[in-house]
Each structure stands twice: as structure tokens, then as C-alpha cells.
Amino acid sequence: MNLDHVFVCGHPALDFAATLRARRSTRFEMFVTPERLNAWYLKSGLVDAITPADGQDVREAQALRESLYRLITNRRLGEEFDREALAVVNGAARKVPVTPQLTVAGRHNEATPGQALATVARQAVELLSGADAPLLKECGNPECTRIYIDRSRGMRRQWCGMESCGNKIKAAAYRARKRTAAPA
């Protein structure tokens, strides 16, 4: 599976929750090392520079991610929030977040992994309590478990992203139609 971090969900907290991929089948972990965690924080644009993470930072990020996924799923399905997951997310959101600084070159966000994690938790609180919460959908690819914000006209979007899932599903459907239409 591709080791690149992908940002197709429409919100940083959703992209963070999607770092454990294919939850129903192969379960592919993106945060396998502290370096991979830091790479996510940098590629997401959450920070411009980050102090090195360690194993404890990875475990905390994974715990927050799983709690976020539980709450996002609860919201999407119209269920009551899981109390344990709420405690994890709210606990992380109470910590010191990334603090932007103004430099002669412009805005600069330098943080610790803990500050970056607190920022993700705060973004999740805003998402799950905000106007975009009713727009949450799960990708239509049975192998994908990403949840995204569907802002399409008529809420007809089916996949987390065309490049990641949509093209695969459309190509498979095309091949199936061609096989069915082939002369016997």
C-alpha cells in the first residue's frame, strides 16, 4: 500500500482519522514511526516545523485518532457520542495547541507533537459541533473507510477522492461491463 499521506477528506481531523486505512480488511497503519507522525503534521500544513516525536507521541496520536474515528462515526450515523472517546478528545483539546507566530517572512507555526495533537483535537471539536457535521459521508469503496465532507451539489459525491478510490471503482465497473458484454 502507498505510504504517502493523503488529504482528501475536506478537513484535517478527518484526514487524521483516516491514517488507519482499510479498517474493515487489511488495516494499514500510517503512524508506524515517530517520523511518520511528524511527516503527517508537516504535510497537513498544521505546522511548518515540529520537534521530533517519540514512541509515546505515536501512541497518544493513535489513541486520539481512534477516539476521533469513533466520534465521527457516531455523528455520521446519528448516534450518541461514545463517552470514553469524548473524554480522550476533550482531554487532548484542553492542552496547549499550536500557536502561530508572525515573522519577517510571514506566519510560522512551530510546535511540539503534543501541541499539534491538541490542535487536531480542537479542530475535531469544531467539526463535530459545527455546520459541516451533517455533511459527513463514508467513502463508497468497500475497502476504504475514509470519512469525508460532501459539499457536492445534491450531496451526490460517492468517494473520498477520485484519484484514491473513485477511479479504481469506475475502472472495475467498466471491466465488469466489458466482460458481461463480451460474446459468449
Side-chain angles (χ1 to χ4, degrees):
M1 184 172 267
N2 188 348
L3 283 176
D4 291 336
H5 291 298
V6 180
F7 302 90
V8 295
C9 299
H11 192 280
L14 296 175
D15 288 318
F16 191 83
T19 59
L20 179 62
R21 297 193 190 160
R23 290 170 179 270
R24 286 186 288 273
S25 58
T26 57
R27 296 180 65 91
F28 186 78
E29 175 65 65
M30 296 300 291
F31 295 156
V32 291
T33 64
E35 294 76 21
R36 296 286 300 146
L37 175 62
N38 275 0
W40 189 92
Y41 290 137
L42 291 165
K43 286 188 176 198
S44 72
L46 194 66
V47 297
D48 301 307
I50 191 159
T51 57
D54 61 25
Q56 182 63 29
D57 294 316
V58 171
R59 288 185 291 280
E60 289 174 8
Q62 290 170 339
L64 178 68
R65 179 197 56 214
E66 293 311 299
S67 293
L68 283 179
Y69 189 80
R70 166 63 32 222
L71 297 179
I72 291 164
T73 300
N74 291 153
R75 176 59 76 214
R76 187 176 61 78
L77 298 177
E79 300 170 349
E80 185 175 310
F81 282 138
D82 179 273
R83 302 268 184 216
E84 288 180 37
L86 274 176
V88 171
V89 171
N90 287 332
R94 283 186 201 100
K95 295 182 179 169
V96 176
V98 174
T99 305
Q101 299 293 300
L102 187 61
T103 69
V104 291
R107 182 182 169 133
H108 184 76
N109 292 328
E110 188 168 329
T112 65
Q115 290 171 315
L117 195 62
T119 301
V120 170
R122 287 172 180 226
Q123 290 173 338
V125 168
E126 293 302 316
L127 170 67
L128 293 171
S129 64
D132 285 338
L135 306 178
L136 297 175
K137 285 176 78 176
E138 187 176 59
C139 183
N141 177 351
E143 293 297 313
C144 182
T145 54
R146 288 187 189 114
I147 298 171
Y148 61 91
I149 297 173
D150 184 359
R151 292 188 180 102
S152 67
R153 175 179 278 167
M155 286 191 65
R156 291 186 291 198
R157 182 173 160 191
Q158 297 178 16
W159 303 288
C160 61
M162 279 307 291
E163 302 80 23
S164 52
C165 288
N167 286 339
K168 291 177 193 172
I169 298 296
K170 286 184 167 192
Y174 174 78
R175 286 191 301 273
R177 283 192 309 273
K178 284 296 206 187
R179 278 193 304 271
T180 304

